[in-house]
Amino acid sequence: MPSTVPDSRALWRPGRLGISLGFLLLAIALLPVADLGIAGHDPWGALSRMGAGLLSPDFGAITALAYTAALTVAFAICGVAAGATAGFLLAPFYHRAPVRLICVAIRAIHELFWALLLMQVTGLSATTGILAIAIPYTGIFAKVFAEYLDEADPRPARAISPCSDAISRFFYARLPLAAREFGTYTRYRLECALRSSAVLGFVGLPTLGFQLDTFFKQGIYGAVAAVLIIYYLLIGTMRIWMRRKLVPVYLVAAVGFLATLHTPPMGQGALIRFLTQDIVPAPLRNADLAQPATWQSLGDWLQMLSVDQALPGLAATLIVAQLSLVLAGIVALIGLPLILRPITGRFGALLGHLMLVIGRSTPEYMLAYIMLQVFGPSMLPAVVALGLHNGAIIAHLMGQQSQHLATGLRPDAPRGISLYLWELLPRTYGNFLALCFYRWEIIIRESAIVGLLGISTIGFYIGTAIQELRIDRAVFLLLVTVLVTLAIDVISQRLRARLGLDRLSSHAATNRC
């Protein structure tokens, strides 16, 4: 006879609204310990000067801007080509644990961190820029390509002769079914790579980010506006200039163009020194590994780094990420109705789309840099930048998913805000939560890199270690970042599964950079 006593675990299991409330309450609880003060000397004056500059763009340096824009595109094309090729080769083996772990680890480290590490070996060169994009993109491409292969119809592979080899089955029965999605996703990744390439300018590579940083430091806000306009034009017109038939031409031109880039000379044996000296923990270098004192020194070194740098940096990273995640959710819930015609009308939807395009197209690092000029060095610029950028992405994706809902309504359906609150939002709230959970891991990565701007996340300690040429410390802190990112990814997956949100295809959401 079945028990009539209710299961206490089921009674206390929070649903979607309960989980949402939990994240919101956690963010509110963190506010007293978050450094959200305005440290800028004259924030409103800075805003007014920037606004005046944005309204009067200065294209006086158009030759230099055109050159750096071309380099930005060239770095993106070469990085995506290398990452897509390596990811394609790894995709069939992605289900094997070693391959999966390598892919997860390399994509958990942001392109900026890769660039800073690679500079120790290849210097400020085209190779550094290409590899900084290609390495993390390899892990992303391998994951997404493997998912496309898994989702393809398995019947052709079953119908093929069992005597055929694995390579023949892959190229004749599996790849043709996923080839179109491969191409579409690669083109989308190029848009992400343009953002990554622009941001690499902040570490010295000659892309649009370098020009933006230079003009900001000189207070030439009209030229800053010109850089941003050129960048938005590159992103906005990509569907026009990026044609499949032209890909080989673009690739050859990009390689040839980057080959003309002047590279400062590096000392001989940089790679050997990096692998055998720089990344080896200091207590183990040239030490007698048989001596207990060596391992005691290593323990002290690990304890010092963990207590003095990893833990405070990690705490700040998680605080920034939590506040940014909640702000992104609020921005998405406000931004979604702005792009739906039944709610805001044709002109309002067009304006809403323009706002979201600017928010999601502007790299989070670039946005945080601009906010830093206004608010000064605190967590506030990072939280605002990450919240706006990720909220715009979530709202854009929800808008794509809600279009068919908004157009398939009954003639007597409510309009305006009533339609959104009582019809569309309840039907899309599950997708909203899934997208927020997918962005959670990415926000952690982004919260780490804003430390390079001077904000006290773990990226601050990584950047400082690299500046002091203590690469071993930087590598240790990067490993901590990877482990935390993996932990957040696991928690996110379990929450999605528990709330029945795991049916949303991951490559439709996670990889929106």
Side-chain angles (χ1 to χ4, degrees):
M1 179 178 178
S3 172
T4 58
V5 179
D7 187 349
S8 59
R9 291 174 300 178
L11 286 177
W12 291 101
R13 174 171 293 184
R16 296 177 181 181
L17 287 178
I19 294 289
S20 306
L21 188 61
F23 272 80
L24 178 61
L25 291 177
L26 180 58
I28 293 173
L30 290 174
L31 285 177
V33 297
D35 176 19
L36 297 176
I38 297 178
H41 175 65
D42 182 14
W44 297 114
L47 265 180
S48 63
R49 288 191 294 274
M50 286 183 196
L54 291 174
L55 292 175
S56 54
D58 177 9
F59 288 93
I62 188 63
T63 304
L65 292 180
Y67 178 71
T68 51
L71 282 173
T72 303
V73 176
F75 275 119
I77 289 175
C78 291
V80 167
T85 303
F88 174 77
L89 295 175
L90 291 174
F93 311 101
Y94 189 76
H95 298 294
R96 298 185 180 182
V99 175
R100 179 190 291 264
L101 283 176
I102 291 172
C103 290
V104 169
I106 60 177
R107 74 169 184 260
I109 299 176
H110 195 276
E111 296 90 279
L112 275 182
F113 288 144
W114 278 116
L116 290 172
L117 285 179
L118 290 164
M119 280 182 189
Q120 313 306 314
V121 180
T122 53
L124 202 60
S125 65
T127 305
T128 297
I130 294 171
L131 290 180
I133 296 173
I135 291 175
Y137 278 34
T138 295
I140 296 171
F141 273 116
K143 175 178 182 289
V144 176
F145 284 175
E147 289 178 352
Y148 280 132
L149 290 172
D150 289 343
E151 292 171 2
D153 190 346
R155 288 176 293 181
R158 291 173 187 162
I160 204 167
S161 170
C163 298
S164 59
D165 57 86
I167 295 178
S168 298
R169 281 199 299 275
F170 177 76
F171 280 100
Y172 288 101
R174 299 186 67 193
L175 181 59
L177 299 175
R180 183 175 179 181
E181 285 76 9
F182 280 19
T184 303
Y185 184 76
T186 303
R187 189 173 66 176
Y188 163 72
R189 261 291 142 192
L190 180 61
E191 180 184 332
C192 300
L194 286 174
R195 298 172 197 157
S196 303
S197 177
V199 166
L200 290 178
F202 286 91
V203 296
L205 289 169
T207 63
L208 284 174
F210 181 80
Q211 294 286 357
L212 188 82
D213 186 30
T214 303
F215 290 138
F216 250 119
K217 287 176 178 173
Q218 296 174 349
I220 310 175
Y221 297 119
V224 170
V227 174
L228 291 174
I229 289 172
I230 290 174
Y231 171 74
Y232 292 136
L233 284 176
L234 275 179
I235 297 285
T237 59
M238 205 184 79
R239 291 189 177 185
I240 299 174
W241 56 265
M242 177 45 72
R243 300 288 180 180
R244 185 169 297 182
K245 293 179 181 178
L246 294 176
V247 168
V249 177
Y250 284 138
L251 186 56
V252 172
V255 172
F257 189 40
L258 290 178
T260 65
L261 198 62
H262 174 70
T263 302
M266 291 289 293
Q268 291 185 349
L271 178 60
I272 299 298
R273 187 186 66 247
F274 180 79
L275 295 176
T276 60
Q277 291 289 324
D278 293 350
I279 64 172
V280 177
L284 299 183
R285 290 180 204 155
N286 305 318
D288 185 355
L289 300 184
Q291 293 296 324
T294 302
W295 299 104
Q296 178 63 40
S297 298
L298 178 63
D300 295 339
W301 183 81
L302 290 173
Q303 183 180 11
M304 179 273 296
L305 276 181
S306 301
V307 174
D308 295 345
Q309 299 188 16
L311 288 179
L314 210 52
T317 302
L318 293 175
I319 290 173
V320 169
Q322 181 64 28
L323 296 179
S324 303
L325 178 64
V326 171
L327 179 60
I330 294 172
V331 170
L333 291 176
I334 295 174
L336 173 60
L338 298 181
I339 59 175
L340 297 177
R341 284 190 184 185
I343 297 175
T344 57
R346 186 174 182 180
F347 179 74
L350 186 63
L351 190 61
H353 274 295
L354 179 62
M355 293 169 59
L356 293 187
V357 164
I358 292 175
R360 69 187 177 89
S361 298
T362 309
E364 70 288 346
Y365 191 84
M366 193 181 288
L367 205 52
Y369 180 86
I370 295 173
M371 295 292 174
L372 197 66
Q373 313 306 312
V374 178
F375 298 119
S378 72
M379 291 181 181
L380 185 61
V383 172
V384 174
L386 299 185
L388 290 177
H389 176 71
N390 288 284
I393 291 175
I394 295 171
H396 169 71
L397 294 175
M398 288 179 67
Q400 287 184 332
Q401 297 166 0
S402 303
Q403 288 297 338
H404 71 284
L405 297 176
T407 55
L409 297 171
R410 291 171 26 168
D412 59 345
R415 311 291 291 181
I417 194 66
S418 297
L419 170 66
Y420 175 62
L421 291 178
W422 303 107
E423 179 70 30
L424 298 180
L425 184 58
R427 296 170 68 178
T428 57
Y429 195 75
N431 283 340
F432 163 73
L433 273 187
L435 289 168
C436 287
F437 288 143
Y438 279 127
R439 296 300 304 181
W440 194 11
E441 173 202 339
I442 298 172
I443 290 175
I444 290 285
R445 282 198 332 148
E446 295 171 345
S447 300
I449 62 160
V450 294
L452 297 177
L453 294 172
I455 300 167
S456 60
T457 62
I458 199 166
F460 171 79
Y461 298 98
I462 295 172
T464 302
I466 292 176
Q467 286 176 0
E468 295 174 348
L469 297 180
R470 292 174 170 173
I471 309 302
D472 52 339
R473 296 188 179 190
V475 170
F476 172 77
L477 295 172
L478 282 172
L479 290 175
V480 171
T481 307
V482 170
L483 291 176
V484 172
T485 305
L486 293 180
I488 293 295
D489 187 40
V490 170
I491 295 172
S492 171
Q493 287 181 23
R494 292 188 176 181
L495 283 174
R496 293 198 305 269
R498 182 172 179 175
L499 297 176
L501 304 173
D502 51 345
R503 289 170 294 175
L504 184 66
S505 182
S506 61
H507 53 72
T510 19
N511 304 292
R512 302 286 177 182
C513 52

